[in-house]
Amino acid sequence: MTRTYSLAYLSSHRCTPAEAIGVAAKTGYSFVGLRLWPNAAGAPQQHLLGQPAALRETLAAQADTGVGVFDLEIIRIGEQFDPHTWDALYDAGAALKAKAILVAGDDTNEARLTDHYARLCEVMKPFGMTADLEFMPWTAVKDANAALRIVQGAGSPANAGILVDALHVGRSTTTLEDIRALPRELLHYAQICDAQAGLNFTTEQMVHTARCERLLPGDGTIDVQGLFDALPADLPVSVEVVNFGREANTSVLNWAAECLAKSRPFVER
């Protein structure tokens, strides 16, 4: 089955939003993912919020190419949480017709995190996007079971979602049975990459791999094939491969094309 592919932010982090859309159009992707809000204060991002000219340029690129915006990054739910902090992100998502916002959970008080997630879903409801909670082993949502517990504890809102990233499956206690047990209605897309699998990495090592040194599918030891066999066959795929060393020797265009070419054999069947 052919898939819908999105060029993730980390695969095109050298691009502005409009440039990423152009690269996606030239290399076979139907969508892009954009990081319009950094994952930490001062961390890398694509600048569009509060910049009307950048938004107009991005909308024009969409109109010219037909490439859509799939997901936006990132909302982090900490101990202190006000969902209206991200009002500008919701507005941009609505303008770009984005489908999802990626959410990370950092609050180790699971009851409070669950309440805040439910509130986020409520606030996002008018904007037409899902709130996709990504489990990551160094966060408070460490595996697929934790993500499911939080979403169900929040009442499984209609715009709730769980994001499955191959890297975090390979480095958490998540099993393929856990993936198969995720309700289909909570799955909106999945992220593909590879790395060395295992449970003995430090937080610093896991974060470094995630943000700087992922591998192309097939170049590591994560069971990428098993994962995508366990996921729904029609699930859109976000190709998320960042590798600063490899990228230094190739153009963004060639990197995006190689990432897609290496991903296809694992998800098309």
Side-chain angles (χ1 to χ4, degrees):
M1 175 181 290
T2 58
R3 294 272 190 152
T4 296
Y5 293 99
S6 179
L7 178 65
Y9 161 73
L10 282 176
S11 298
S12 59
H13 62 92
R14 293 177 278 176
C15 297
T16 67
E19 289 169 347
I21 288 170
V23 169
K26 293 174 181 175
T27 51
Y29 298 83
S30 299
F31 292 90
V32 297
L34 303 176
R35 180 173 289 174
L36 304 186
W37 200 284
N39 59 12
Q45 68 178 104
Q46 294 162 311
H47 295 281
L48 183 146
L49 302 184
Q51 299 188 13
L55 177 58
R56 287 194 298 270
E57 182 184 19
T58 305
L59 290 170
Q62 285 187 279
D64 288 344
T65 63
V67 171
V69 174
F70 202 99
D71 66 306
L72 300 179
E73 301 181 20
I74 180 177
I75 293 174
R76 306 197 76 102
I77 303 179
E79 295 181 16
Q80 304 298 319
F81 181 74
D82 177 0
H84 290 291
T85 300
W86 291 271
D87 282 351
L89 186 63
Y90 312 146
D91 288 336
L96 296 164
K97 295 182 171 59
K99 297 179 179 295
I101 293 182
L102 191 155
V103 181
D106 295 326
D107 188 354
T108 55
N109 183 323
E110 189 168 299
R112 184 172 56 204
L113 173 58
T114 300
D115 288 344
H116 285 156
Y117 177 76
R119 178 61 178 147
L120 173 65
C121 289
E122 181 67 23
V123 169
M124 283 181 55
K125 193 183 300 181
F127 297 92
M129 292 174 287
T130 56
D132 289 74
L133 182 62
E134 182 175 14
F135 59 90
M136 298 176 249
W138 66 87
T139 68
V141 187
K142 298 185 179 301
D143 55 31
N145 287 331
L148 182 59
R149 193 166 58 243
I150 290 164
V151 169
Q152 291 181 332
S156 298
N159 61 339
I162 293 174
L163 176 56
V164 176
D165 181 333
L167 177 62
H168 307 321
V169 172
R171 292 191 169 186
S172 74
T173 57
T174 301
T175 67
L176 295 183
E177 289 71 27
D178 296 334
I179 297 299
R180 294 187 191 99
L182 294 174
R184 177 64 181 88
E185 64 270 18
L186 295 178
L187 297 171
H188 304 117
Y189 67 117
Q191 295 172 327
I192 190 169
C193 69
D194 209 339
Q196 296 305 306
L199 302 176
N200 297 318
F201 297 98
T202 66
T203 294
E204 291 73 19
Q205 288 171 327
M206 289 190 289
V207 171
H208 175 78
T209 299
R211 298 178 182 175
C212 308
E213 205 170 23
R214 296 174 183 238
L215 299 179
L216 292 162
D219 287 356
T221 59
I222 293 173
D223 185 7
V224 179
Q225 189 66 70
L227 172 60
F228 280 87
D229 286 347
L231 288 165
D234 60 346
L235 195 66
V237 177
S238 173
V239 180
E240 188 177 47
V241 190
V242 57
N243 189 298
F244 290 165
R246 292 284 304 275
E247 291 177 61
N249 301 311
T250 188
S251 68
V252 176
L253 199 69
N254 288 342
W255 181 247
E258 184 176 9
C259 290
L260 182 56
K262 290 296 182 67
S263 298
R264 284 186 186 276
F266 291 93
V267 299
E268 293 184 6
R269 57 187 190 275

